[in-house]
């Protein structure tokens, strides 16, 4: 009877070895399991080798690397490298949106074969995801210099563009002193007014082409695509002033003022230009 009672109260651990293994699985093993889970969670948040955060990479590409400044036509021509750094590197530096990467001879070979005039025409008028570069802060000759800078870095042999000689303009400027004397003095301001009005009217479009089209033409990094009414609908409802304030401060992958140094009034004109295209 007493032997039966003793057997009923005997536990499963009968030897020191069993006690050791029981202690291991009860205390040590859970610690290793917890460490393994923590390591797994931490590792899961890290990108795989070679992976790139698209929004972060895009933000780095389009961050301000130059300045936007509307200049008069009498200033010296910018170098091709300066224009490339300020205007082209955002896409061509990393081969973004199908742009041939700077220095990639294989990507540029077919384009170089078309000749300088064809390359310049594509740059000025726009092609694919690249917006038109003509009509912005840089003159056509400066855009041409940037084209030559990129093409020659990939094996091209193009000459650096220069401004046309101003000799042909001299005869037109001197024709008739009598006609000048006969014209009223008030005629000079009247002739200058249309040019000023043209610059003011086109400021929004010029700034869009110079700073905004890099992302808005192709809808890069979540930017509403130019002219896409569905994508712009909620933004149209927010109103011009609210959108202008957002652009000035920057939002998401878009840096403040789109990476430019334009005046707030010019930023507003560019926003208004994009809104008008989406209505």
């Amino acid at each position: 009877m007493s032997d039966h009672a003793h057997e009923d109260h005997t536990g499963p651990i009968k030897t020191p070895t069993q006690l050791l293994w029981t202690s291991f699985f009860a205390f040590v093993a859970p610690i290793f399991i917890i460490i393994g889970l923590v390591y797994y969670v931490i590792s899961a948040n890290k990108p795989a080798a070679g992976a790139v955060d698209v929004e972060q990479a895009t933000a780095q590409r389009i961050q301000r690397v130059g300045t936007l400044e509307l200049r008069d036509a009498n200033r010296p021509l910018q170098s091709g490298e300066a224009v490339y750094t300020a205007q082209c590197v955002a896409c061509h530096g990393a081969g973004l949106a199908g742009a041939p990467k700077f220095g990639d001879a294989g990507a540029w070979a077919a384009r170089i074969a078309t000749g300088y005039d064809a390359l310049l025409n594509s740059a000025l008028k726009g092609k694919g995801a690249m917006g038109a570069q003509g009509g912005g802060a840089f003159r056509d000759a400066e855009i041409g210099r940037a084209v030559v800078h990129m093409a020659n870095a990939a094996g091209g042999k193009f000459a650096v563009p220069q401004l046309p000689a101003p000799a042909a303009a001299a005869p037109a400027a001197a024709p008739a002193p009598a006609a000048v004397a006969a014209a009223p003095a008030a005629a000079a301001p009247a002739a200058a007014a249309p040019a000023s009005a043209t610059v003011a009217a086109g400021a929004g479009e010029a700034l869009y082409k110079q700073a905004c089209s890099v992302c808005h033409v192709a809808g890069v990094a979540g930017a509403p695509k130019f002219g896409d009414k569905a994508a712009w609908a909620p933004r149209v409802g927010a109103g011009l002033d609210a959108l202008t304030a957002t652009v000035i401060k920057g939002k998401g992958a878009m840096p403040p003022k789109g990476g430019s140094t334009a005046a707030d009034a010019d930023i507003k004109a560019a926003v208004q230009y994009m809104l008008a295209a989406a209505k």
Side-chain angles (χ1 to χ4, degrees):
M1 190 72 173
S2 60
D3 290 340
H4 179 70
H6 176 72
E7 290 177 0
D8 289 341
H9 292 86
T10 300
I13 303 173
K14 298 178 181 179
T15 66
T17 301
Q18 291 177 338
L19 178 61
L20 179 62
W21 282 109
T22 302
S23 300
F24 177 85
F25 285 110
F27 299 103
V28 180
I31 292 175
F32 281 101
I33 292 173
I34 292 172
I35 292 174
L37 289 173
V38 172
Y39 180 79
Y40 175 79
V41 171
I42 293 175
S43 299
N45 290 332
K46 295 180 180 179
V52 178
D53 186 303
V54 176
E55 290 192 358
Q56 182 180 0
T58 302
Q60 291 174 348
R61 291 187 187 108
I62 67 174
Q63 66 182 340
R64 184 170 62 191
V65 293
T67 57
L68 171 66
E69 188 175 343
L70 299 179
R71 302 171 183 264
D72 65 85
N74 295 321
R75 61 171 172 76
L77 283 178
Q78 295 284 338
S79 69
E81 183 178 4
V83 177
Y84 165 79
T85 301
Q87 182 69 9
C88 316
V89 71
C91 291
H92 287 280
L96 185 66
K101 192 173 181 179
F102 184 81
D104 186 339
W108 277 94
R111 294 171 170 86
I112 292 173
T114 64
Y116 168 73
D117 291 336
L119 287 174
L120 177 62
N121 185 63
S122 295
L124 295 177
K125 294 183 178 180
K127 184 176 182 180
M130 177 180 66
Q133 301 303 309
F138 295 110
R139 285 174 280 178
D140 290 359
E142 292 172 325
I143 297 297
R145 286 187 166 196
V147 169
V148 169
H149 175 68
M150 290 186 284
N152 288 356
K157 302 296 182 183
F158 299 129
V160 176
Q162 304 294 334
L163 283 177
V180 174
S196 176
T198 301
V199 172
E205 182 179 1
L207 180 57
Y208 163 78
K209 291 179 179 179
Q210 187 68 28
C212 314
S213 62
V214 172
C215 291
H216 285 281
V217 166
V220 175
K225 195 172 181 180
F226 184 79
D228 186 337
K229 295 183 179 180
W232 279 93
R235 295 169 172 86
V236 171
L240 175 61
D241 292 337
L243 285 176
T244 301
T246 298
V247 174
I248 291 173
K249 293 179 180 179
K251 184 177 181 181
M254 177 181 67
K257 294 189 175 184
S260 75
T261 56
D264 291 356
D266 292 331
I267 296 293
K268 186 173 184 178
V271 173
Q272 190 171 19
Y273 173 75
M274 288 188 283
L275 285 176
K279 291 182 178 178

